[in-house]
Amino acid sequence: AGDMSTVTLRVTYQLCACVVTPAIIAHVGFSVPAILGVGGLAVGAIVSETLRVRFERCRHARGNAMQSTGPERGLWTIATEEGAGSVHFYTFAHQNEAVRFFETISMASVCIDPLGQEITSKGHSWALTTIRAKTLQVPVGDWKVATEEGVNNVKVYSFGCKENARKFFNGLTAARILLDPTGKEIDHKGSWNPFALSTIRTRRLQEQGGQWKVITEEGVKHVRVYVFGCEENARKFFNGLFVVGILVDPMAQEIDRQGS
């Protein structure tokens, strides 16, 4: 055990690194109750000052950075969420400047290189999803992520490269599929919600004039036909069914069935 001055001195030393964990408390030789009981007020004051310094450092960095309305080709960009849905962009001519800014600020942020590709990120996944949706998408992007956000509410996000599409795809929590430039599904997540995946595939994988077909009965004598441009997409849809169905190839031959 030690007196209050010893406790305060040891905790202050550890807080200089701006990190307080149970391991650090154990390292200095005191239990959590002891710290709270003996040096709680001192620790609170130190933490408060640490947060104040961090906030001021972050505010100063943002105040001195060049803001823009979005990522700019040829420049490094740090995109942040500063308040729900409020995405801000800071641009830099050199990578080291962008990295220094990224490491200084404390809010959720994404670092984007001069070619528009995400390099690194930090922060809460929901905030990062908002940032990526507003930052990484391109209107005519060939890589797509399709999601169901609410019953039958299918949304499609377009990206210019596989890397950005994959980053966005991996950060989502909703059921979703990842589509390559040919429109082929190459990945999906959300198997816990097969209804959502089936809805997404119905809306996004079908192709008018497609030669691959999935035929189902959805209710007594209620037969439906879904058409696809390739076997892979037809098979994905077929395998995700929870009703009776058959898979038919371009020669009108049944090649698989389920639910019989």
Side-chain angles (χ1 to χ4, degrees):
D3 58 24
M4 181 180 293
S5 62
T6 303
V7 172
T8 303
L9 177 61
R10 291 183 178 180
V11 173
T12 302
Y13 174 77
Q14 295 295 335
L15 280 171
C16 286
C18 302
V19 178
V20 181
T21 67
I24 286 176
I25 292 176
H27 173 70
V28 299
F30 296 91
S31 65
V32 173
I35 291 293
L36 295 179
V38 180
L41 293 178
V43 171
I46 296 167
V47 170
S48 178
E49 176 63 13
T50 298
L51 293 176
R52 186 193 68 78
V53 170
R54 279 189 171 183
F55 175 79
E56 287 299 321
R57 187 185 304 141
C58 179
R59 186 174 66 84
H60 179 73
R62 287 160 51 208
N64 290 335
M66 179 75 70
Q67 290 203 49
S68 69
T69 56
E72 296 185 19
R73 286 281 172 158
L75 295 176
W76 287 83
T77 301
I78 305 298
T80 66
E81 186 186 48
E82 302 174 22
S86 179
V87 177
H88 293 244
F89 304 92
Y90 302 88
T91 55
F92 304 87
H94 304 290
Q95 180 178 3
N96 62 333
E97 296 172 344
V99 171
R100 189 180 308 117
F101 180 81
F102 178 84
E103 293 175 346
T104 299
I105 60 176
S106 56
M107 68 279 292
S109 51
V110 172
C111 179
I112 303 159
D113 72 11
L115 297 178
Q117 186 170 320
E118 177 182 330
I119 301 301
T120 188
S121 65
K122 65 180 179 181
H124 193 280
S125 60
W126 289 356
L128 291 177
T129 292
T130 299
I131 295 171
R132 288 170 178 143
K134 295 187 176 183
T135 304
L136 301 182
Q137 284 197 90
V138 294
V140 293
D142 290 329
W143 285 87
K144 301 185 187 301
V145 176
T147 69
E148 187 188 53
E149 302 174 21
V151 178
N152 293 324
N153 181 29
V154 175
K155 297 190 67 174
V156 179
Y157 302 86
S158 302
F159 303 88
C161 65
K162 179 179 181 179
E163 292 78 9
N164 284 350
R166 175 64 72 177
K167 290 283 180 74
F168 182 75
F169 176 86
N170 288 342
L172 291 171
T173 55
R176 67 273 194 193
I177 64 174
L178 176 62
L179 305 172
D180 72 10
T182 68
K184 184 184 301 183
E185 178 185 332
I186 63 171
D187 201 359
H188 72 271
K189 290 187 184 294
S191 298
W192 46 268
N193 190 353
F195 296 98
L197 288 176
S198 183
T199 298
I200 296 169
R201 288 169 175 147
T202 298
R203 302 278 184 86
R204 294 307 309 175
L205 297 186
Q206 289 196 85
E207 291 184 28
Q208 187 173 3
Q211 298 300 303
W212 284 86
K213 296 178 172 60
V214 175
I215 305 173
T216 66
E217 184 185 54
E218 302 174 21
V220 178
K221 297 184 178 180
H222 182 210
V223 176
R224 295 191 62 179
V225 179
Y226 301 88
V227 294
F228 304 88
C230 64
E231 180 180 2
E232 291 84 353
N233 283 351
R235 175 68 68 177
K236 295 275 189 182
F237 180 78
F238 176 80
N239 289 341
L241 288 174
F242 38 88
V243 295
V244 174
I246 61 174
L247 177 62
V248 178
D249 70 11
M251 302 301 293
Q253 297 296 311
E254 176 186 328
I255 62 172
D256 204 352
R257 69 176 66 179
Q258 70 171 21
S260 57

